[in-house]
């Protein structure tokens, strides 16, 4: 798959609201005016981000990116790193560079421009298929979130001169202004021919499988993801008998393969004729359906949990913890006590994993925590949630999201074309 890059020295805009380049809000500047102003303000922001006060942090980001790319960093990648640093990187005080820029700029920005610049924190990264031109705008469809955007450039339509319907671009967009539902391109656009569609669709499908949040700007996809997760969970419970099972690693892997095989068969049941034949020819073998990660293969037991909200999770050596809560005398054993402490410390372990142990063995929970934590007055009913909120702070700060990732119709179409 080949691609080229378009460098857009100044920031261009996009709108999914149907606003024309001469459109305006009832209380502020038009899209055209804000897009034109955005170039100068983005230049100021980038200069601010590259200033001496942020030199150490930005240099670290660039060096880290260079290491990930074999020690070399081209200009386009450097632009993306700087753009991410300016708009999204949290500093030691919790603020972003763009927030400091707005707070410290002299003279202060007018309210409309302040809202515009702060709106740039809402970054959308996507693979966009060019659909058509609309005056000075370029209408594109984001394969990632399955939404349509209308791109403008503060350099005029010439910035998109080589982009034709059916081509693809990969890039970052940010709002022009929160009140206008219009967007600006940040950085550069990587341009791909239409023939690259199937390969880009594969990359998008892999990305949303790894980071489902990419889809959820689209409320319809979010709703569908919850529906699919509920269906998958029901199938899990129908096969395993409950939403939590504790098994030796080999049995856990076999069980997951059989569960996935049955789900695959269920998906094929509704197909007929050539569609069914083609789908069956593409069906995965059992060993391809699921493989237990290496770190779980070495565990004594593996818990497979399909939580209603958090989706599918795997926990190593969970059987030791289950035994500990069933028999509090095991708290005297260093290994059992250490495992519970490790689960409490590990920021990848959900609070629900601890809550489930408590729910399975409610009579003994206080004795276990008193012994392991060394707190003779500990009461789960009084102190349990505070303990979890203190040890698992990040989980409580996240908005619940489904773990299932439904791809858009266009991605599915491109994937079928590639096969």
């Amino acid at each position: 798959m080949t691609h080229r890059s378009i460098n857009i020295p100044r920031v261009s805009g996009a709108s999914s609201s149907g606003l024309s380049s001469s459109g305006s809000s009832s209380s502020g500047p038009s899209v055209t005016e804000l897009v034109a102003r955005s170039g100068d303000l983005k230049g100021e922001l980038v200069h601010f981000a590259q200033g001496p006060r942020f030199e150490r942090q930005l240099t670290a980001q660039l060096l880290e990116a260079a290491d990930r790319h074999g020690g070399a960093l081209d200009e386009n990648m450097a632009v993306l790193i700087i753009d991410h640093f300016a708009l999204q990187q949290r500093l030691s005080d919790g603020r972003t560079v763009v927030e400091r820029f707005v707070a410290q700029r002299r003279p202060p920005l007018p309210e409309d421009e302040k809202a515009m610049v702060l709106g740039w924190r809402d970054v959308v990264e996507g693979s966009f298929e060019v659909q058509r031109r609309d005056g000075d705008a370029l209408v594109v469809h984001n394969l990632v979130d399955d939404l349509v955007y209308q791109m403008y450039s503060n350099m005029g339509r010439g910035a998109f001169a080589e982009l034709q319907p059916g081509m693809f671009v990969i890039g970052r967009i940010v709002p022009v202004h929160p009140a206008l539902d219009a967007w600006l391109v940040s950085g550069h656009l990587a341009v791909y021919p239409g023939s690259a569609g199937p390969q880009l669709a594969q990359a998008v499908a892999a990305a949303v499988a790894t980071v489902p949040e990419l889809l959820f700007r689209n409320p319809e996809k979010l709703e569908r993801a919850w529906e699919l997760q509920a269906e998958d969970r029901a199938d899990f419970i129908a096969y395993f008998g409950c939403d939590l099972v504790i098994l030796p690693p080999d049995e856990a892997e076999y069980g997951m393969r059989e569960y996935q095989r049955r789900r695959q068969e269920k998906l094929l049941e509704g197909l007929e004729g050539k569609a069914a034949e083609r789908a069956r020819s593409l069906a995965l073998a059992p060993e391809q359906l699921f493989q237990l990660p290496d770190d779980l293969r070495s565990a004594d037991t593996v818990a497979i949990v399909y939580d209603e909200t958090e989706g599918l999770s795997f926990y190593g050596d969970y059987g030791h913890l289950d035994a500990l809560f069933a028999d509090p005398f095991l708290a005297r054993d260093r290994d059992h006590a250490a495992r519970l402490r490790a689960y409490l410390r590990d920021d990848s372990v959900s609070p629900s994993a601890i809550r489930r142990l408590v729910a399975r063995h409610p009579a003994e929970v206080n004795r276990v925590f008193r012994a392991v934590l060394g707190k003779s007055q500990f009461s789960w009913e009084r102190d349990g949630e505070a303990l979890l909120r203190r040890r698992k702070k990040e989980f409580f700060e996240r908005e619940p999201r489904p773990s299932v990732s439904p791809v858009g119709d266009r991605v599915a179409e491109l994937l079928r074309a590639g096969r």
Side-chain angles (χ1 to χ4, degrees):
M1 179 171 56
T2 60
H3 85 273
R4 293 171 293 105
S5 295
I6 293 180
N7 286 312
I8 302 181
R10 302 183 71 183
V11 182
S12 60
S15 170
S16 57
S17 64
L19 287 171
S20 70
S21 60
S22 61
S24 62
S25 70
S26 59
S27 59
S30 68
V31 173
T32 300
E33 293 167 333
L34 288 172
V35 168
R37 180 67 174 129
S38 69
D40 293 332
L41 289 174
K42 186 63 179 292
E44 284 188 41
L45 172 61
V46 171
H47 180 75
F48 181 79
Q50 293 178 297
R53 75 190 75 189
F54 305 118
E55 182 177 5
R56 180 178 58 83
Q57 298 101 311
L58 179 56
T59 298
Q61 294 287 318
L62 292 167
L63 290 175
E64 181 180 342
D67 288 341
R68 293 197 304 267
H69 292 80
L73 201 63
D74 62 25
E75 181 180 353
N76 292 330
M77 182 59 65
V79 168
L80 290 177
I81 298 301
I82 294 170
D83 193 65
H84 180 277
F85 178 77
L87 301 180
Q88 296 168 279
Q89 183 69 40
R90 292 289 172 184
L91 303 171
S92 58
D93 62 357
R95 293 191 297 173
T96 58
V97 173
V98 68
E99 288 167 349
R100 286 202 189 179
F101 168 73
V102 169
Q104 297 174 19
R105 187 185 187 275
R106 296 294 179 269
L109 293 172
E111 289 303 313
D112 272 322
E113 292 184 359
K114 182 185 296 185
M116 175 174 67
V117 174
L118 289 176
W120 295 347
R121 295 170 296 181
D122 183 19
V123 178
V124 176
E125 298 183 357
S127 296
F128 304 91
E129 183 175 15
V130 178
Q131 292 187 338
R132 66 183 187 278
R133 292 186 178 277
D134 183 7
D136 289 341
L138 192 71
V139 179
V140 297
H141 171 243
N142 188 0
L143 299 181
V144 176
D145 60 22
D146 208 25
L147 295 173
V148 173
Y149 298 87
Q150 194 169 0
M151 289 186 174
Y152 295 89
S153 169
N154 56 25
M155 298 178 66
R157 69 176 67 185
F160 302 130
E162 63 178 297
L163 298 178
Q164 301 299 320
M167 297 177 70
F168 296 87
V169 294
I170 295 178
R172 292 160 52 89
I173 58 176
V174 297
V176 173
H177 189 289
L180 296 176
D181 190 26
W183 299 83
L184 300 167
V185 175
S186 275
H188 76 285
L189 296 176
V191 182
Y192 294 82
S195 59
Q199 290 172 278
L200 291 175
Q202 289 179 9
V204 167
V208 298
T210 304
V211 188
E213 298 81 33
L214 295 172
L215 277 174
F216 300 151
R217 298 186 67 87
N218 187 332
E220 293 182 1
K221 293 302 176 186
L222 178 57
E223 181 180 0
R224 182 55 181 154
W226 283 120
E227 293 172 353
L228 290 174
Q229 180 165 290
E231 293 171 10
D232 289 352
R233 182 172 181 268
D235 290 341
F236 181 95
I237 294 173
Y239 174 70
F240 285 102
C242 58
D243 68 352
L244 185 157
V245 291
I246 303 172
L247 300 168
D250 289 345
E251 293 182 25
E253 185 170 67
Y254 174 81
M256 282 301 300
R257 286 178 177 176
E258 182 63 15
Y259 158 66
Q260 297 284 15
R261 184 190 67 77
R262 293 188 181 195
R263 289 183 63 245
Q264 183 172 254
E265 286 296 318
K266 182 179 179 180
L267 293 172
L268 294 173
E269 285 176 1
L271 301 178
E272 298 178 355
K274 292 184 178 180
E277 292 178 10
R278 185 176 185 186
R280 290 188 180 279
S281 71
L282 297 171
L284 298 176
E287 62 273 11
Q288 297 174 305
L289 288 169
F290 179 82
Q291 290 187 340
L292 203 64
D294 290 340
D295 61 329
L296 292 179
R297 289 180 181 276
S298 60
D300 290 336
T301 58
V302 175
I304 313 174
V305 183
Y306 209 131
D307 187 79
E308 184 177 11
T309 300
E310 297 175 357
L312 195 61
S313 301
F314 301 85
Y315 297 104
D317 291 328
Y318 200 78
H320 287 279
L321 294 179
D322 195 59
L324 169 63
F325 278 79
D327 181 5
F329 285 103
L330 290 174
R332 299 175 181 177
D333 177 72
R334 289 185 177 181
D335 288 342
H336 282 83
R339 282 189 174 92
L340 179 54
R341 294 190 191 100
Y343 263 61
L344 289 170
R345 287 194 305 268
D346 191 339
D347 57 11
S348 70
V349 173
S350 167
S352 68
I354 308 297
R355 292 195 190 104
R356 284 176 175 271
L357 290 167
V358 172
R360 287 166 69 88
H361 309 285
E364 307 295 352
V365 61
N366 288 337
R367 293 176 62 191
V368 171
F369 278 105
R370 286 169 184 173
V372 171
L373 300 177
K375 295 183 178 181
S376 60
Q377 301 301 313
F378 181 90
S379 166
W380 176 263
E381 184 176 348
R382 182 189 64 227
D383 306 319
E385 280 301 304
L387 172 68
L388 294 179
R389 287 182 177 277
R390 186 168 64 253
R391 299 292 186 93
K392 309 287 184 182
K393 183 178 178 181
E394 290 186 5
F395 278 92
F396 290 94
E397 293 175 344
R398 299 175 193 167
E399 183 179 356
R401 291 296 194 210
S403 60
V404 176
S405 306
V407 298
D409 292 342
R410 181 54 176 155
V411 171
E413 181 181 336
L414 289 169
L415 289 174
R416 288 193 294 270
R419 290 170 180 170

